[in-house]
Amino acid sequence: MAQVKLNAVRKTYPNGFEAVKPASFDIADGEFVVLVGPSGCGKSTMLRMIAGLEDISAGELSIGDSVVNHVDPADRDIAMVFQNYALYPHMTVRKNIGYGLKNRKIPSAEIDAKVAEAANMLNLNDYLDRKASQLSGGQRQRVAMGRAIVRDPALFLFDEPLSNLDAKLRNQMRIEIKALQRRLGVTAVYVTHDQVEAMTMADRIIVMNGGVIEQIGTPSEVYHSPASTFVASFMGAPPMNLFDGHANGSEVHVGSTPLHRHAHQGKVTVGIRPEDIVPDVTGPLAIHVNIIEELGAHRLLHGHTAEQPVTIHVAKDYPAAIGPMTASIKPDAVSLFDTATGRRL
Amino acid sequence: MSVSTRRFRWSAVLDHSILIIGSLIMILPVVMLLQMASTTDVHTMKNGPGLGFGDQLPVNFDKAMFKADGFSGENTGLRMLYNSMILGFGFAIGKIVIGMMAAYAIVYFRLKFATLAFWVIFTTLLLPLEVRILPSYEIVQKLGMLNTYQGLIIPLIASATATFFFRQFFRSVPEELVEAARIDGAGPIKFFVDILVPLSRTMVAAMFIIMFVYGWNQYLWPTMITTDEGMYTLVRGIKQITQALEGTNLPEYGRSNLLALIAILPPVLIVIFFQSWFVKGLTESDK
Ligand SMILES: Nc1ncnc2c1ncn2[C@@H]1O[C@H](COP(=O)(O)OP(=O)(O)OP(=O)(O)O)[C@@H](O)[C@H]1O
Ligand SMILES: [Mg+2]
């Protein structure tokens, strides 16, 4: 078990591209941290620096109590699960899981016991003597997990481990991985570009964009109080509504509708989650609905207000109709961003 | 009993006739060798090759394997077969080992001039043995390796072809496998032995066939390097075989033809033995 500390860690690739700008954060012992962001934002690079697969260009990384900038991946007491599983195709499942232990010169009786235990935990008993190349995607995923577990690492690293699975299996594995991590109490860093995975699995989420950390917070913080317009639009499906607004020092207007009280003055971006806009015949917000999206459990209404696009989340029994409607905003549901910087006010 | 429901088609008959005729034409010389090897020399002398198989195969086999020409009496068929085996295996294994290791260094290590080194190795394809035979001979001679197995094998085992194929193969091995192995604590040698070599086994089999046959059929180089009769290979010994045919005495048809058969047999066996791997190596990958 270990905590992880990053102090101004950055990565510049040999071609001069700065994939991770100086990043500092701490991960507590036993915490499940999810790194999330769009493709190419530097998540994998960050994870691979923690793993030791990529040199750290500057800054300091410590795992447990020691700085590990120059420690070999094998000696960092980590285990990693890769997106394509990276199993050794010519080895049996048993050998795949035990290979790391064998290299550590652990007696074979002990390896057998550990492999058996991991196989039990992951329902792999029937496959132990199959070659890795003869397994389905989900089974490979489990073997990759097994390989990580038997090492008893201080830190689990996952790089989009579920993205090659179908949706159903993904949901199932998501829960399983989280439960396993809880049970073993091992610190985990999990990379994904799927914000649902991030929300459901994380103790804390780190949102990255363009090599920069946009926000670090619990899923609820990140969701309800996004630190920037980027986070607001990245997290949540559908994303937060963002309106161009104007603040006059006491009130914030979108179009001519006053929506919020704030002392800021100037151009602002007003963010409101779709579920925080509620149909209300006396509400201040005039909306014209263009499209009704039926999602079974609820409905999404897409339309315009003050000539800006808006999405509203309504209950499945709400009598939605194309055309004008009015709505109000739940109290404390407004996020305000400086339009110029994109940062939260 | 099941009745075949497949329709009889004349085109299938035609196809098969062509194939059968083709294989007969290919196999006929071998049958001829076998026929002449199975009769007495006198019979062959009188009648030429024919269809009459005799019962002299054991006698001729004994002569082919254990009788020697020349002065030393060392170049028996058995001895030449042994030498050919050493050359074939040494050549193939040497080329595979060297080619794999060179490709490993080029693909997996951050060497400054790896690409340059690779292309230098590659351009040696333009310098086959025949082009550099004099300097090669001189080196072998100065190293005192004439008439030795080392002299026969070592100058030939650097292989641009094998290096090239293994390089292409290694480059197609997913990067994550290397990284997983690093995390699993496999150093460079362990990774090579535990993972890369087993993954390459179909490739190795394919290379082995090609290289074994290539090495087995070497003629020019053994002719230059070996003057000692005890070092002759079968293919080089063919000269002796044909000389026997031109002798003033009764030519030894049986013995010579049997030796020729023995010379083509091992490559055929190797191909048959490895062929399923060979096809696999060329078509399917295990990664
Ligand atoms: N070896 C490299 N040399 C130069 N640039 C690189 C290298 N590897 C990655 N990059 C760049 O660094 C950036 C971050 O890459 P990274 O793989 O960390 O992205 P990611 O967030 O994991 O994306 P994805 O979700 O697509 O996996 C990308 O813009 C990529 O082009
Ligand atoms: Mg990635």
Side-chain angles (χ1 to χ4, degrees):
Chain A
M1 314 306 114
Q3 74 276 24
V4 179
K5 275 188 182 5
L6 279 83
N7 189 1
V9 166
R10 65 194 271 191
K11 176 69 192 183
T12 311
Y13 277 112
N15 65 1
F17 181 75
E18 193 175 27
V20 173
K21 309 235 160 65
S24 302
F25 56 87
D26 294 353
I27 301 172
D29 188 12
E31 195 175 20
F32 198 112
V33 166
V34 174
L35 273 170
V36 67
S39 186
C41 69
K43 313 176 292 283
S44 293
T45 304
M46 180 87 85
L47 192 77
R48 292 161 52 79
M49 283 195 288
I50 298 175
L53 297 171
E54 210 71 74
D55 291 335
I56 295 170
S57 307
E60 204 176 74
L61 167 72
S62 45
I63 298 176
D65 298 322
S66 46
V67 175
V68 294
N69 282 37
H70 300 292
V71 177
D72 232 37
D75 302 326
R76 286 192 186 191
D77 205 7
I78 54 157
M80 184 153 168
V81 178
F82 296 85
Q83 176 172 358
N84 63 4
Y85 320 131
L87 302 180
Y88 312 119
H90 59 291
M91 292 187 194
T92 59
V93 169
R94 188 190 302 280
K95 289 227 170 89
N96 258 287
I97 296 178
Y99 186 62
L101 302 179
K102 193 177 137 224
N103 287 338
R104 286 186 183 176
K105 307 247 165 7
I106 290 173
S108 61
E110 196 176 324
I111 296 180
D112 289 347
K114 284 194 164 179
V115 171
E117 192 192 333
N120 257 333
M121 230 184 262
L122 294 161
N123 292 323
L124 278 173
N125 283 319
D126 297 343
Y127 308 108
L128 276 178
D129 293 308
R130 271 215 217 158
K131 291 250 173 81
S133 54
Q134 301 162 340
L135 298 176
S136 72
Q139 292 160 349
R140 285 175 203 213
Q141 174 58 49
R142 281 168 198 280
V143 177
M145 287 294 301
R147 191 164 68 176
I149 291 171
V150 287
R151 306 196 48 180
D152 259 333
L155 179 62
F156 278 143
L157 301 173
F158 299 92
D159 195 351
E160 308 203 21
L162 304 183
S163 53
N164 288 351
L165 302 180
D166 66 48
K168 193 168 166 223
L169 200 53
R170 194 152 59 213
N171 288 340
Q172 184 193 334
M173 284 305 289
R174 198 168 75 198
I175 294 164
E176 247 175 81
I177 290 180
K178 174 82 193 209
L180 209 59
Q181 185 266 351
R182 276 279 167 278
R183 178 134 65 100
L184 301 170
V186 176
T187 316
V189 183
Y190 186 105
V191 164
T192 179
H193 59 256
D194 178 346
Q195 46 93 20
V196 178
E197 253 170 53
M199 291 292 293
T200 51
M201 297 178 85
D203 294 324
R204 269 194 312 157
I205 295 179
I206 299 180
V207 187
M208 287 185 73
N209 184 31
V212 178
I213 293 181
E214 292 267 341
Q215 185 171 7
I216 303 178
T218 63
S220 148
E221 279 165 6
V222 168
Y223 188 81
H224 294 293
S225 324
S228 64
T229 49
F230 171 79
V231 178
S233 57
F234 187 77
M235 299 300 290
M240 193 177 241
N241 292 297
L242 293 175
F243 305 113
D244 293 332
H246 186 81
N248 61 13
S250 61
E251 276 189 323
V252 178
H253 294 258
V254 170
S256 56
T257 320
L259 282 186
H260 190 60
R261 304 191 67 79
H262 197 277
H264 188 76
Q265 214 164 8
K267 273 188 185 302
V268 291
T269 301
V270 180
I272 308 168
R273 290 277 170 205
E275 62 273 25
D276 291 334
I277 303 179
V278 280
D280 178 353
V281 281
T282 61
L285 212 55
I287 295 170
H288 188 91
V289 178
N290 298 327
I291 297 172
I292 301 170
E293 217 180 333
E294 181 67 63
L295 294 176
H298 57 263
R299 287 171 176 172
L300 293 177
L301 312 182
H302 300 280
H304 286 86
T305 179
E307 281 159 14
Q308 301 187 44
V310 60
T311 300
I312 316 174
H313 178 129
V314 293
K316 64 175 187 295
D317 48 8
Y318 175 75
I322 303 238
M325 65 176 281
T326 53
S328 60
I329 294 159
K330 285 189 189 161
D332 299 326
V334 173
S335 294
L336 217 53
F337 307 96
D338 186 325
T339 305
T341 62
R343 305 306 299 178
R344 187 182 187 86
L345 290 169
Chain B
M1 253 184 64
S2 74
V3 180
S4 166
T5 52
R6 276 178 64 182
R7 271 196 307 136
F8 180 82
R9 278 178 301 134
W10 281 107
S11 67
V13 175
L14 185 70
D15 291 348
H16 280 85
S17 323
I18 292 174
L19 289 174
I20 290 168
I21 292 170
S23 14
L24 280 181
I25 291 176
M26 306 268 267
I27 221 165
L28 206 62
V30 181
V31 176
M32 222 171 86
L33 286 181
L34 194 61
Q35 187 269 329
M36 289 193 283
S38 72
T39 58
T40 61
D41 297 339
V42 179
H43 178 89
T44 309
M45 185 77 181
K46 274 199 223 150
N47 307 310
L51 289 173
F53 280 83
D55 54 2
Q56 296 296 306
L57 211 53
V59 180
N60 285 326
F61 181 78
D62 187 58
K63 275 200 275 180
M65 278 317 216
F66 304 110
K67 191 184 159 193
D69 295 298
F71 310 107
S72 63
E74 276 172 354
N75 59 339
T76 58
L78 192 63
R79 180 80 199 179
M80 292 195 289
L81 182 65
Y82 175 72
N83 290 339
S84 276
M85 284 288 181
I86 290 188
L87 177 60
F89 277 100
F91 186 87
I93 293 171
K95 272 190 186 261
I96 288 169
V97 169
I98 301 265
M100 262 184 128
M101 294 203 305
Y104 185 47
I106 288 168
V107 175
Y108 286 100
F109 293 84
R110 252 174 261 150
L111 304 173
K112 260 221 172 86
F113 301 109
T115 319
L116 181 71
F118 172 71
W119 288 110
V120 169
I121 294 174
F122 201 68
T123 48
T124 61
L125 279 179
L126 301 173
L127 293 172
L129 180 70
E130 289 75 10
V131 176
R132 56 184 165 88
I133 197 144
L134 284 177
S136 297
Y137 179 84
E138 199 172 333
I139 291 171
V140 170
Q141 188 218 355
K142 287 206 167 125
L143 290 174
M145 297 199 302
L146 290 181
N147 283 315
T148 61
Y149 292 124
Q150 306 90 285
L152 211 49
I153 294 167
I154 292 174
L156 301 180
I157 60 175
S159 171
T161 321
T163 309
F164 176 74
F165 276 106
F166 281 116
R167 169 183 180 259
Q168 296 309 99
F169 179 78
F170 291 168
R171 280 161 64 112
S172 72
V173 171
E175 183 90 17
E176 283 87 353
L177 221 51
V178 185
E179 295 175 343
R182 272 182 78 188
I183 292 177
D184 267 343
I189 294 176
K190 269 215 175 102
F191 175 69
F192 186 64
V193 174
D194 286 352
I195 292 161
L196 219 43
V197 171
L199 276 185
S200 322
R201 63 193 192 281
T202 48
M203 191 73 188
V204 168
M207 278 287 136
F208 186 82
I209 296 184
I210 295 170
M211 294 304 178
F212 181 86
V213 175
Y214 186 34
W216 181 271
N217 288 332
Q218 282 295 316
Y219 177 69
L220 185 59
W221 184 249
T223 308
M224 302 223 24
I225 294 302
T226 58
T227 48
D228 184 344
E229 288 176 344
M231 292 297 296
Y232 282 8
T233 62
L234 272 176
V235 177
R236 179 192 188 323
I238 278 178
K239 204 167 127 214
Q240 260 58 38
I241 300 171
T242 51
Q243 255 169 12
L245 286 178
E246 290 154 3
T248 45
N249 302 331
L250 181 62
E252 295 182 287
Y253 290 116
R255 169 168 174 247
S256 324
N257 288 320
L258 197 55
L259 270 177
L261 268 182
I262 292 169
I264 59 174
L265 207 56
V268 170
L269 289 180
I270 293 271
V271 171
I272 291 173
F273 182 71
F274 276 115
Q275 72 161 344
S276 64
W277 287 53
F278 184 74
V279 175
K280 253 197 204 162
L282 296 180
T283 55
E284 105 187 8
S285 88
D286 203 12
K287 283 163 294 208

